[in-house]
Amino acid sequence: MSECSAGERLWLVVPAAGRGRRMGAELPKQYLMLGGRPVLAHTLARLHQAFPQAKLCLCLDPDDVHFDPVWVPFAEWRRTPGGAERADSVRQALSALAGEARDEDLVLVHDVARPCVTLAALARLAAALREDPVGALLATPVADTMKRDDGRQRIARTESRDGLWQAQTPQGFRYGLLRRALHEAAVGDVGVTDEASAVEALGLSPRLVPGRRDNIKITHPEDLALAGHILAAQQGEPLVASDNPQEET
Ligand code: C5P
């Protein structure tokens, strides 16, 4: 079993069972190529650089014919079947770990479509998670002015952006808590688009860890080129130095 520090065990869950319809591409977005390698390979490589001893659970569509295990750098990993929604994919991955994972083990869930997450951000999140009994996620304060529409593509009102954050991944929680949160969300038919929402529904408040705006989720066609530029620009950066503007000022 992977030991990340004295007695600590870390699991990585990477939901990669989406079909990426918003990309409008023939291939699911995790298999689109970035600099000669698919998005999925970039994302797994980043996670492996940060957490080489972790165990990986990769959620894949059972009908996926594009996946190649050569892209997985982890010594210990397994494939688990994706579900109808992202939360179902993660829930099924956690179920697959039952009996092996302990309630207090740390679980980091990271979208396969976010290949640009930096090692420094991953280290910062892991450090926050170790100290927090609830859990933590990377997020960035909202920078743009926020408009609420009226359903007819006209502005109903301007929302205050004070205190608003955009949630990213990874999101990290203790195994037992996250499993219970996602189970209760499914039973209660609470729609959740990230792990934090499920934990919030239990009345808990996960910690917001400042991330970087370049940890984009490839979603729309133009995002692929943007991710390519970000990865190229990051090549010149120190791998693990602080990259958090809020820490540096
Ligand atoms: O579609 P969206 O970009 O929100 O998906 C976020 C992540 O969840 C992606 O990594 C995608 O592959 C994954 N996903 C999944 N199972 C689903 C839907 C999405 O693993 N049913």
Side-chain angles (χ1 to χ4, degrees), residues 43-81:
T43 304
L44 295 183
R46 282 278 159 109
L47 292 172
H48 184 253
Q49 275 181 287
F51 309 115
Q53 305 301 322
K55 269 188 151 185
L56 172 73
C57 212
L58 187 59
C59 317
L60 293 172
D61 186 331
D63 297 329
D64 186 326
V65 292
H66 307 290
F67 175 69
D68 187 336
V70 78
W71 298 319
V72 180
F74 289 86
E76 295 185 68
W77 70 281
R78 73 188 68 192
R79 172 180 177 157
T80 55

Side-chain angles (χ1 to χ4, degrees), residues 110-211:
H110 185 58
D111 291 330
V112 75
R114 292 187 190 268
C116 305
V117 66
T118 62
L119 301 193
L122 290 168
R124 204 159 55 240
L125 177 68
L129 177 58
R130 287 185 184 110
E131 287 172 8
D132 199 291
V134 176
L137 62 147
L138 290 180
T140 54
V142 166
D144 297 319
T145 301
M146 307 301 284
K147 305 293 187 189
R148 171 83 52 195
D149 75 24
D150 63 358
R152 290 165 305 197
Q153 228 173 304
R154 287 189 172 276
I155 294 170
R157 63 181 176 275
T158 299
E159 302 281 359
S160 168
R161 68 182 175 212
D162 282 355
L164 273 193
W165 294 67
Q166 281 180 267
Q168 302 180 342
T169 70
Q171 304 199 353
F173 298 92
R174 309 271 156 193
Y175 173 79
L177 173 64
L178 184 57
R179 191 157 182 227
R180 178 160 69 91
L182 288 173
H183 172 76
E184 294 200 9
V187 168
D189 208 13
V190 180
V192 290
T193 51
D194 70 350
E195 291 62 53
S197 316
V199 172
E200 291 161 51
L202 297 179
L204 299 170
S205 299
R207 175 175 297 276
L208 293 160
V209 175

Side-chain angles (χ1 to χ4, degrees), residues 91-106:
R91 194 166 41 80
Q92 288 173 195
L94 297 181
S95 296
L97 301 181
E100 234 182 297
R102 299 180 300 215
D103 278 359
E104 65 275 19
D105 286 353
L106 304 180

Side-chain angles (χ1 to χ4, degrees), residues 15-18 22 29-30 59 83-86 89 111-113 217 219:
R22 283 170 290 182
K29 58 189 176 182
Q30 56 271 29
C59 317
E85 305 289 337
R86 182 186 179 285
S89 298
D111 291 330
V112 75
K217 184 171 72 166
T219 306

